[in-house]
Amino acid sequence: GSEDRAAAAPAAAAAAAPEASIVCPTGHALVNMGTSSDNGWHCDGDSMPGGCASGTSGFTQTAGMTRFRCAECDYDLCESCMKRYGSGQATRSVNDEGAPVAPGR
């Protein structure tokens, strides 16, 4: 009955969820690129309070790191930042007034 469908829905949603359910600041799922796109990319976790969990602060510092990417927004996180910032829209930065800040990269 309807109870069976309701119980199955969360399991199906979890199976289809992106890696750690992390999204970019505009809400797009980040895609695990592995190390296949190692082009000197920059981890946008450096704009978060506490900075990048891997300690990067600019381009060309991510050699060999797993990359999680939103191509539409040009937004990237390293695997350590994916783990640090948990799930949801944790990658959204805010300015001093509390307004969202675009990653700008």
Side-chain angles (χ1 to χ4, degrees), residues 2-102:
S2 63
E3 291 177 12
D4 293 336
R5 283 191 299 267
E19 191 87 28
S21 299
I22 297 287
V23 296
C24 75
T26 56
H28 306 117
L30 297 184
V31 176
N32 183 342
M33 305 294 289
T35 57
S36 65
S37 186
D38 196 357
N39 63 356
W41 61 276
H42 167 260
C43 178
D44 287 298
D46 76 338
S47 65
M48 294 297 294
C52 171
S54 295
T56 69
S57 60
F59 291 94
T60 71
Q61 299 176 2
T62 53
M65 290 185 181
T66 299
R67 179 182 192 179
F68 294 84
R69 177 158 181 75
C70 172
E72 188 171 340
C73 296
D74 190 24
Y75 187 82
D76 302 288
L77 288 180
C78 68
E79 187 170 17
S80 295
C81 283
M82 286 287 289
K83 291 176 182 175
R84 173 184 280 180
Y85 298 118
S87 63
Q89 213 158 353
T91 57
R92 181 182 297 268
S93 296
V94 294
N95 64 17
D96 292 337
E97 290 79 40
V101 175

